Amino acid sequence: MAKLKSLLDLEELRKSIVAARDPSKLCITICSGTGCHAYASEKVAEAFSSEIEQRGLSGKIDLRRTGCHGFCERGPIVVIFPDEICYLSVKPEDVSEIVSETLIHKKIVERLLYVGDDGKPISNENDIPFYKSQIRIVFGDNRLIDPQSIEDYLALGGYAALAKALFEMTPEEVIEVIKKSNLRGRGGGGFPAGIKWETTRNAPGDAKYVIVNADEGDPGAYMDRSLLEGNPHSVLEGLIIGAYAIGANQGYVYVRQEYPLAVDNVSVAIDQMRELGLLGEKILGTGFDFDIIVHRGAGAFVSGESSALMTAIEGRVGEPRPKYVRTAVSGIHGRPSNLNNVETWANVPLIIKHGADWFRGVGTEGSKGTKIFSLVGKVKHTGLVEVPMGMPLREIIYDIGGGIRDNKKFKAVQTGGPSGGVIPESLLNLPVDFDELSKAGSMMGSGGMIVMDEDTCVVDVARYFLNFLADESCGKCIPCREGIQQMLVVLNRICEGNGTDDDLEILTDLGDMMRDCSLCALGQTAPNPVLSTIQYFREEYEEHIKNHRCPAGVCKELINYYIDPEKCQACMICMRNCPVGAIEGGKNIVHVIMQEKCTKCGTCLEVCPPRFSAVSKLSGVEIPEVAAGGIKVR
Amino acid sequence: MSTEERKGQDTSSRQTRGAVGDQRLESAAQPVAPAVEAAQQVELTINGQAVEAWEGMTLLQAAQSVGIFIPTLCHHKELSDYGACRLCSVEVIRGRRSRIVASCLYPVEDGIEVLTESEKVVKHRKTILELIQTRWPWVDKELLEKYGAQPGRFEEKTDFCILCGLCVRYCSEVKKADCLGFVGRGAQRQVVIYPERAIELCYKCDGGKMGCRSVCPTGTIPNEFAHTGPRFGKKLPLAYPVKSYNEDNAREVLQTVGDWRMPWVRSQTMPGK
Amino acid sequence: MIKLLKRWKESRTMEQDLTKVDEIVDKYESNDESLIQILLDIQNEYRWLSKPILSRVCDRLDIPLVRAYHIATFYKHFSLLPQGRHSVSVCLGTACHVRGANRLLDRVTQAIGIEPGQTTPDEKFTLNTVNCLGCCALGPAMVIDGEYRSNLGAKELAEIVAGAD
C-alpha cells in the first residue's frame, strides 16, 4: 500500500477497503487470544482452513483469526458472520460438522451453543447473558478484526479520530476534550489523564515522551494483554493523538516479555503504520513527526511502576525513583514524560471521535466511562468483562459471571491485585468506582477481580500476596524490603498455628509504617491485602491464632485429612492413589491415614467415590484414635 | 581479625558514626546557598520555627541550616541523595493535607509546615530502627532510647550489611571505580565486590584506607584488604567466583565456593546434594 | 599482587562463541539504553548469561560490569546458570492459586524431582513459577515448552517427563 500523504489519501484508502468487502459474505471468526490459544484454537483454525479448501469453498467463505472475545471460560470461540452465530468450546473434531451444517445447509449445531439457565440455547453472541449487561465500547472490536491486519481496523473506521485531531483540532483543544471527559487512568492510579497531559505539555523540556504501560503485572489480570494482542491499533492511535496533544515526537510501548503474542502483534502493527506513513515524518502530510519504540520488560513487577518503567527504558535497573518531582515534569532522561495504561490510551480515539459528552454519558459522578475487568477465580464464567462504571459488584459477579461455581457460598472478591483488598458479601452492592472501592479499603487497580468462596482462606490469601510482593520488591528502601519480610514471618507463624496475641498489632504497626514511609507505591500499598482482610475477617485470623483452626481448610499445618470409619467401604482407591503411601488398610479393612506421613496433597479427598464420601478435612479438632489391628468394614 | 574482636574494638566509634547526623550537622551550620545566584527564596516553618530557604534545597538541608536535628542513615553530603533508609521521614502539612516524606529528597516549598518529631513520625522511626536492628544489632543506643525502639521485636537476620548504598555510591560517584555494586532484588539484595577491579584498584584507594570503608556505617567492609585471592571480602561476597567456569561446570562452581554463597544465582543447590 | 593478576587473567580463557553476542549488540547499534533488550535476546539465544558474555557486552557498550550484573540479577528472566532444554512454568497467579496451584506445583516438583528455580542435573528441565500466564480459565495452569496445559495429574506428568528428550 502506498504511503498516505493527506487526509484525502486516508479516506480514499478506507473507502476502497470497505468497497472491497461484502458484509453479507459468510465469515468464520476464531478467537485467537492467548487464552484460546491455550485451548488449541490454532488447530481449530487450521481445521477450518483445510476443510474449506477441501470442499472447494475458498472463494465463498472468509476465515479470520480475531482478538480475544472475553468469554475465556468457554474458548475456543467461533462466531459465524453475518448472523453472528456463536459456537463455544469448539474442538477441531467439530469443524467438519460446522462447515456442512451451518455454512452449507444453514442449520445450527445446537450442542455447541450456549445454554441459558432456562435450558434454552442461544445462537446470537449478543444475546448470551455473559455479554448482555456489558458495554463493550473498548473491547468490542476485538472480535471483528484480525489484529495483524491494518485494513480490518481501517474498515471499522480506524484512524478517523487521529485525522480529526490532526486536521480539525489544536493540541490544546484535544487536551480540553480529554479533560472534560474526565478519563481517569485505568492502570490503577485513577489519575485524570487530561491533567497529566496538560502538565506534560506545559513542562519545560527540549523533548517530550509518551509511553504505553503494558507491563501488566497483577497476577490474575490480563485485560491489557488481550487489548494489546487483539486490537493494537486502537492503543497506538490513542498514543499518537496523545503525542500530538502533548508535543512529543517519540513514544515507547513497554510490554512484558511474558506476553510474546502482544509483543509480536504490536510490532507488526507499528511496521504497518510506518508503511502507510501513519508513523514517521510528516504524518498524513502534516508537520507532525512521531515514531514508536517497543521495549520489552524482563520479569519484574516493580518495573511497571511509572518511574521505574522510565528508568528501565533508559537501560538501567528498573527501580522506582522518588516522585516528589512528577514524571510528567521529569521522566525519561529528566524530560517531561506522559505515561498511561493500555486501556487508557484505547479510550482516547473513542473520546475524540464521539466527544466528551458521549463518554460522560456512562458512569458515575467521579468515574466516567467503562472499565475492563478480568473476572476470575471461583466464578462460573471467567473471562474479561467491560462494564460501565457504577455497576454494582453483585451484578458483575452474579449476572455476568453466573455466580459461584459448584454451588459454593460466596466469601469475598479481591480487587486491585497485590495493592488492593477484599470486599466481603455485606458490601456487594458497592458500585465499581475509583473512590467507592478506595473508601472500602480496596482499590480499582488495573482491573483484576478475583472471586473467592468458602473454601478460600483469607489468611492464606494475604500470605500469598505478601509472598508475591516479597519476590517483587526491588529492595531499595527499608520499610518495604524489611517490612514485607517481617509481615511474612508473622503470617507464616499464624498459618502454622504458632500465632501470638500480639500478632495482629505487629501487622498493623508494620502496615502503617509501610504505608507512610515507603519509597514507592509497591511498598505503600503492600499492607493493603493484610489490613483489608484483618478489617473484614478478623474472626478468621483469631480462629487461626487462638484455636489453631483454619475454617476454610486450607492452611496445611492446621488441617488433617481423616477417613470416617463409618463411611469407608475399603475400596482401596485412595490407598492406590496416595503419592506417599500414607494410607493403611486393605480389602474389608477400613482405611486409615497415617498423619505423620501425610503431605496434605488432597488426593484422597478428590478420588474417594462420591457415594461413600468418607474422606473429610478436619481443622482445630483432635483426630479420633483408631483401634489397633484395623476395623472391619461395617 | 575475627568478628568478635572487630565488634569489641570499633563499635563505639561506629555507633556514633552510624545513624546519627551530628558530625554533618556541625559542618552544615551555615545556610547552604545554592550555586545559582538568582534562586528564589522560599519560606516554610519547621517545628513551628520560620525558616528561610532557597529553591532547590531539600527539607533536610533547610532543617540542618537552623540546627534542627533529623536522624539520617543513607544520606551523605558528598553523594547523591538516595532516599532508601526513610529514617529521615518527616510530616509535611500543606493546607488540610498531611503526608510523610523523606526529608533528604523532598524539595522545600513555600508555605508548608514541617514537623520532624510528630507522633506519627516518632512511631514510624521507632519501627524503622527496630527493622535496622534485625540486620545490624549495634545501632546507636541514644537513638534507640530516644524513639523507644525495642530490640528483639522482629526476627533477626544479622547479616551486618544494612544496604544503605553508601559504599556503592562512593565508589561509583566519587572514585568512579565501580568496584562494588548491588545485585539481586528484594530481600536477596546484596552488595558485592567485583574481583578484577578490586584487585587492581582497591589497595591504592585513599592511601590504602579504602573510601568505601570510611563511609560504611556498620563496618561490614573488612578493614584490611587481604591480598590472598578469594579470601578478601569475607563479609561482602564476590559478584562471581574467581575460578573460571563454563557451561559444563558452572553449576558446581557457582554454588558454595569457600565460605560464601550467591543467593541471587537461580537454580541453587543441586538436587540430592 | 601483579603475579596474582597475571595468573588470574590467564585462567580466564573460556571457550564460548561470542559472535552472536556481537551480532546482537550490532543490531541495537551498541546503544547502552537498549541494554535490557540486548540481554533479552542473548538470554534467548544462549539460554544463560555467562561472565564472558556479560564482560563482552560491557566492553562493547562501554558500561561498567556493575550495571550489567545488577540488571542480570534483578530481572527474573535472566539466568546466570545454563537453563534446561525444556522449560516448565507453573502459574501461581491469584486465580490459579485459589484453584489449587500449590497442589499442582507439588505434583510437578515430585514428577520432575527439582524445586522451582532449579534445573535437573542432566539439563533436561528447568522448573519455574510465573505470576500470571493470563489463562485464568485454565486454572491451575502451566506451560511446557510453550504449550499450555491445565491441572495435569500425577500420571500425565510422569508420562510427559518420561517422553521428553
Side-chain angles (χ1 to χ4, degrees):
Chain A
M1 286 181 288
K3 255 203 170 114
L4 303 172
K5 298 219 182 93
S6 67
L7 176 60
L8 198 60
D9 283 352
L10 175 65
E11 290 312 314
E12 294 278 319
L13 177 61
R14 195 198 307 285
K15 269 194 221 145
S16 68
I17 293 173
V18 173
R21 290 175 179 216
D22 177 7
S24 62
K25 187 178 182 190
L26 278 172
C27 179
I28 306 173
T29 63
I30 298 149
C31 176
S32 300
T34 304
C36 283
H37 243 305
Y39 273 129
S41 66
E42 187 52 31
K43 292 212 179 93
V44 173
E46 280 165 7
F48 268 112
S49 183
S50 63
E51 187 76 22
I52 290 173
E53 209 181 301
Q54 268 176 25
R55 307 229 193 178
L57 297 163
S58 300
K60 303 216 184 96
I61 303 181
D62 282 336
L63 187 66
R64 186 181 286 136
R65 292 165 173 75
T66 67
C68 175
H69 288 230
F71 199 4
C72 307
E73 182 73 35
R74 305 294 301 271
I77 299 179
V78 171
V79 179
I80 301 179
F81 288 80
D83 295 321
E84 295 188 59
I85 300 169
C86 177
Y87 290 134
L88 303 171
S89 308
V90 176
K91 299 197 188 49
E93 304 86 74
D94 301 322
V95 167
S96 72
E97 193 183 340
I98 296 176
V99 173
S100 41
E101 293 301 300
T102 312
L103 295 172
I104 300 181
H105 299 295
K106 309 286 184 219
K107 284 203 226 141
I108 294 184
V109 181
E110 284 222 359
R111 65 182 172 80
L112 292 173
L113 290 178
Y114 179 86
V115 180
D117 288 332
D118 53 3
K120 289 210 201 104
I122 298 174
S123 70
N124 190 310
E125 190 176 22
N126 299 315
D127 294 329
I128 297 178
F130 180 78
Y131 292 113
K132 258 184 137 167
S133 328
Q134 297 187 40
I135 298 185
R136 297 158 66 85
I137 53 175
V138 176
F139 213 57
D141 283 349
N142 271 25
R143 57 196 277 274
L144 301 172
I145 62 175
D146 178 342
Q148 293 200 350
S149 159
I150 196 171
E151 282 107 346
D152 281 359
Y153 187 67
L154 286 167
L156 286 180
Y159 292 109
L162 174 64
K164 183 173 175 186
L166 286 178
F167 292 106
E168 294 172 36
M169 301 166 81
T170 64
E172 288 85 359
E173 280 168 351
V174 174
I175 294 184
E176 275 311 305
V177 170
I178 300 293
K179 272 172 78 177
K180 189 169 173 219
S181 72
N182 200 9
L183 172 69
R184 287 171 72 168
R186 298 292 195 253
F191 192 82
I195 297 183
K196 203 191 261 191
W197 288 22
E198 196 175 50
T199 313
T200 318
R201 182 179 176 78
N202 293 337
D206 59 344
K208 302 198 173 146
Y209 301 112
V210 285
I211 309 161
V212 178
N213 186 347
D215 192 49
E216 195 173 49
D218 280 6
Y222 59 107
M223 308 73 60
D224 292 348
R225 190 198 68 203
S226 297
L227 201 48
L228 209 55
E229 281 173 2
N231 197 351
H233 287 284
S234 66
V235 179
L236 296 172
E237 185 180 355
L239 187 67
I240 314 182
I241 295 175
Y244 170 68
I246 290 168
N249 301 108
Q250 177 67 57
Y252 291 93
V253 178
Y254 187 105
V255 201
R256 345 168 42 190
Q257 65 84 29
E258 289 95 325
Y259 287 170
L261 191 56
V263 175
D264 279 342
N265 286 357
V266 107
S267 305
V268 164
I270 290 175
D271 286 339
Q272 290 172 340
M273 289 163 77
R274 278 204 196 108
E275 206 188 306
L276 274 185
L278 288 166
L279 275 184
E281 291 178 8
K282 300 200 182 25
I283 295 178
L284 288 180
T286 63
F288 179 52
D289 305 338
F290 182 66
D291 211 327
I292 305 178
I293 294 178
V294 175
H295 182 110
R296 284 164 293 159
F301 171 76
V302 73
S303 291
E305 196 267 348
S306 57
S307 66
L309 197 151
M310 295 185 198
T311 313
I313 288 182
E314 290 175 13
R316 298 187 286 136
V317 174
E319 289 172 342
R321 298 181 242 169
K323 296 228 302 241
Y324 301 136
V325 181
R326 293 224 173 106
T327 50
V329 172
S330 171
I332 301 179
H333 296 309
R335 297 184 173 123
S337 312
N338 181 79
L339 179 137
N340 277 122
N341 172 266
V342 168
E343 199 183 331
T344 318
W345 286 118
N347 272 287
V348 169
L350 298 170
I351 296 173
I352 298 297
K353 202 168 178 188
H354 301 289
D357 290 327
W358 166 86
F359 190 74
R360 291 178 71 92
V362 171
T364 64
E365 189 56 45
S367 310
K368 299 288 178 197
T370 61
K371 174 84 186 85
I372 306 177
F373 289 99
S374 81
L375 187 61
V376 293
K378 297 298 192 69
V379 73
K380 278 200 192 128
H381 301 140
T382 58
L384 299 172
V385 304
E386 185 176 351
V387 298
M389 294 281 198
M391 181 181 272
L393 284 166
R394 190 183 295 279
E395 207 178 309
I396 300 177
I397 297 172
Y398 286 94
D399 296 346
I400 300 178
I404 311 295
R405 43 174 57 203
D406 301 330
N407 281 324
K408 298 270 183 177
K409 195 165 167 287
F410 174 87
K411 189 164 192 176
V413 59
Q414 205 276 342
T415 64
S419 312
V422 292
I423 310 272
E425 175 151 30
S426 54
L427 293 177
L428 263 189
N429 291 326
L430 217 59
V432 288
D433 171 281
F434 285 104
D435 309 306
E436 288 294 323
L437 288 173
S438 300
K439 267 196 278 183
S442 180
M443 64 188 268
M444 176 96 66
S446 61
M449 204 178 261
I450 298 154
V451 179
M452 305 178 185
D453 65 7
E454 61 196 77
D455 291 337
T456 317
C457 172
V458 291
V459 187
D460 179 64
V461 166
R463 180 169 64 160
Y464 163 84
F465 277 121
L466 272 184
N467 265 316
F468 172 81
L469 289 168
D471 196 28
E472 299 290 347
S473 161
C474 77
K476 189 170 168 186
C477 74
I478 288 178
C480 172
R481 183 185 71 233
E482 307 297 338
I484 292 181
Q485 290 298 309
Q486 296 300 337
M487 276 184 129
L488 253 182
V489 164
V490 174
L491 275 176
N492 279 330
R493 225 174 27 219
I494 295 178
C495 286
E496 285 163 15
N498 299 323
T500 66
D501 289 323
D502 293 329
D503 280 346
L504 293 183
E505 192 193 321
I506 295 180
L507 288 173
T508 322
D509 276 350
L510 279 171
D512 286 340
M513 189 273 294
M514 288 162 70
R515 262 202 187 137
D516 284 337
C517 298
S518 296
L519 192 143
C520 80
L522 190 150
Q524 285 159 7
T525 57
N528 285 359
V530 179
L531 297 180
S532 161
T533 46
I534 291 179
Q535 181 184 359
Y536 294 115
F537 294 96
R538 199 184 180 96
E539 337 75 58
E540 199 161 337
Y541 276 87
E542 287 175 349
E543 273 290 292
H544 280 71
I545 296 173
K546 300 202 165 92
N547 300 334
H548 302 307
R549 180 173 163 259
C550 177
V554 170
C555 298
K556 271 194 183 171
E557 288 85 352
L558 298 180
I559 58 171
N560 290 102
Y561 285 87
Y562 173 68
I563 301 178
D564 187 346
E566 310 268 322
K567 291 188 182 161
C568 175
Q569 296 299 309
C571 63
M572 310 238 306
I573 294 182
C574 63
M575 271 185 73
R576 284 197 291 259
N577 279 288
C578 176
V580 292
I583 305 184
E584 270 181 341
K587 248 186 149 176
N588 256 333
I589 301 181
V590 158
H591 302 331
V592 178
I593 298 173
M594 291 178 284
Q595 298 296 338
E596 333 76 64
K597 270 196 183 175
C598 175
T599 57
K600 323 275 174 76
C601 69
T603 308
C604 51
L605 179 60
E606 275 168 39
V607 302
C608 179
R611 63 187 187 280
F612 304 146
S613 290
V615 185
S616 59
K617 263 191 277 190
L618 298 178
S619 184
V621 294
E622 291 268 344
I623 305 293
E625 290 266 344
V626 180
I631 317 172
K632 286 264 190 308
V633 172
R634 309 280 164 98
Chain B
M1 207 196 254
S2 72
T3 319
E4 288 72 34
E5 287 171 77
R6 185 175 299 132
K7 261 189 341 196
Q9 218 188 50
D10 283 330
T11 31
S12 53
S13 62
R14 213 141 290 159
Q15 277 179 348
T16 35
R17 194 209 308 155
V20 177
D22 309 330
Q23 293 169 320
R24 289 158 229 157
L25 195 56
E26 285 161 28
S27 56
Q30 275 80 45
V32 176
V36 180
E37 284 147 46
Q40 276 223 292
Q41 250 216 348
V42 168
E43 282 179 22
L44 60 152
T45 49
I46 305 181
N47 292 348
Q49 186 182 343
V51 177
E52 277 173 12
W54 282 265
E55 215 178 274
M57 279 172 79
T58 60
L59 291 183
L60 181 65
Q61 287 171 325
Q64 286 173 342
S65 73
V66 293
I68 295 179
F69 165 71
I70 300 179
T72 63
L73 176 55
C74 67
H75 171 79
H76 193 290
K77 223 171 10 137
E78 293 170 43
L79 304 175
S80 63
D81 293 316
Y82 199 50
C85 70
R86 316 306 282 188
L87 201 53
C88 66
S89 298
V90 296
E91 192 167 350
V92 169
I93 303 174
R94 167 198 285 287
R96 280 180 309 158
R97 286 188 59 201
S98 119
R99 70 194 264 221
I100 307 276
V101 301
S103 57
C104 65
L105 288 168
Y106 196 84
V108 292
E109 278 170 17
D110 221 18
I112 53 172
E113 194 190 326
V114 180
L115 299 173
T116 68
E117 299 284 331
S118 74
E119 203 185 311
K120 244 199 241 181
V121 168
V122 167
K123 185 163 171 246
H124 292 334
R125 275 200 202 133
K126 166 182 179 289
T127 315
I128 293 176
L129 285 169
E130 283 162 353
L131 289 173
I132 297 176
Q133 278 199 306
T134 61
R135 282 193 184 246
W136 188 66
W138 304 281
V139 178
D140 183 84
K141 289 227 159 51
E142 262 182 51
L143 202 60
L144 293 178
E145 264 173 42
K146 180 171 181 188
Y147 292 103
Q150 302 150 353
R153 189 169 180 220
F154 299 117
E155 189 178 85
E156 291 184 5
K157 258 181 135 154
T158 321
D159 45 8
F160 307 110
C161 175
I162 49 174
L163 298 168
C164 63
L166 283 165
C167 57
V168 175
R169 280 180 289 147
Y170 187 86
C171 192
S172 167
E173 294 166 20
V174 175
K175 292 284 149 191
K176 304 214 194 304
D178 289 313
C179 298
L180 292 171
F182 278 119
V183 289
R185 173 170 101 187
Q188 263 75 56
R189 194 180 175 92
Q190 259 187 295
V191 177
V192 295
I193 298 181
Y194 287 80
E196 286 109 337
R197 298 189 72 81
I199 279 190
E200 264 181 79
L201 301 170
C202 296
Y203 71 95
K204 40 184 177 173
C205 175
D206 283 0
K209 283 192 282 184
M210 285 162 60
C212 57
R213 185 167 149 17
S214 64
V215 294
C216 174
T218 65
T220 299
I221 300 175
N223 54 5
E224 84 277 331
F225 212 103
H227 298 178
T228 53
R231 288 185 61 75
F232 61 71
K234 233 170 30 154
K235 269 196 198 147
L236 278 189
L238 301 182
Y240 38 78
V242 173
K243 189 172 164 189
S244 73
Y245 53 89
N246 54 38
E247 195 165 341
D248 295 319
N249 64 1
R251 218 164 301 278
E252 288 164 64
V253 175
L254 283 172
Q255 309 313 309
T256 53
V257 175
D259 53 353
W260 55 267
R261 285 163 216 273
M262 299 190 336
W264 58 89
V265 173
R266 289 162 67 220
S267 306
Q268 294 179 52
T269 42
M270 301 215 313
K273 275 215 177 153
Chain C
M1 179 56 204
I2 314 293
K3 257 198 268 180
L4 174 74
L5 193 60
K6 262 203 196 148
R7 199 162 29 110
W8 193 13
K9 278 189 175 162
E10 279 160 15
S11 79
R12 281 200 304 135
T13 47
M14 290 224 7
E15 279 130 50
Q16 191 168 21
D17 183 8
L18 299 177
T19 41
K20 286 252 165 52
V21 174
D22 286 321
E23 278 171 29
I24 292 170
V25 174
D26 289 334
K27 187 170 96 171
Y28 288 95
E29 292 162 10
S30 303
N31 184 358
D32 74 303
E33 267 180 45
S34 308
L35 176 58
I36 298 176
Q37 312 302 294
I38 292 171
L39 290 179
L40 275 171
D41 284 357
I42 295 176
Q43 169 75 38
N44 290 336
E45 180 68 41
Y46 286 86
R47 285 190 295 126
W48 69 313
L49 297 176
S50 65
K51 178 160 171 294
I53 290 179
L54 288 173
S55 302
R56 171 82 75 154
V57 171
C58 290
D59 284 337
R60 291 287 314 270
L61 298 179
D62 194 25
I63 55 174
L65 197 56
V66 172
R67 194 167 138 193
Y69 255 88
H70 196 181
I71 287 182
T73 54
F74 185 88
Y75 289 103
K76 248 189 158 169
H77 187 67
F78 299 128
S79 175
L80 295 182
L81 279 175
Q83 298 280 280
R85 291 184 298 280
H86 301 282
S87 89
V88 180
S89 302
V90 178
C91 180
L92 292 186
T94 321
C96 287
H97 177 84
V98 302
R99 284 202 194 181
N102 277 329
R103 288 201 293 276
L104 173 64
L105 185 61
D106 284 341
R107 292 199 289 276
V108 174
T109 54
Q110 224 156 33
I112 306 183
I114 52 177
E115 295 293 311
Q118 291 185 342
T119 302
T120 50
D122 56 7
E123 297 203 353
K124 227 200 221 186
F125 292 105
T126 297
L127 175 61
N128 280 316
T129 54
V130 247
N131 278 319
C132 185
L133 288 171
C135 319
C136 309
L138 276 172
M142 59 187 285
V143 186
I144 305 175
D145 287 337
E147 216 185 289
Y148 294 82
R149 308 296 297 271
S150 169
N151 208 15
L152 291 176
K155 249 199 211 158
E156 293 159 290
L157 284 166
E159 279 169 27
I160 294 173
V161 170
D165 53 335

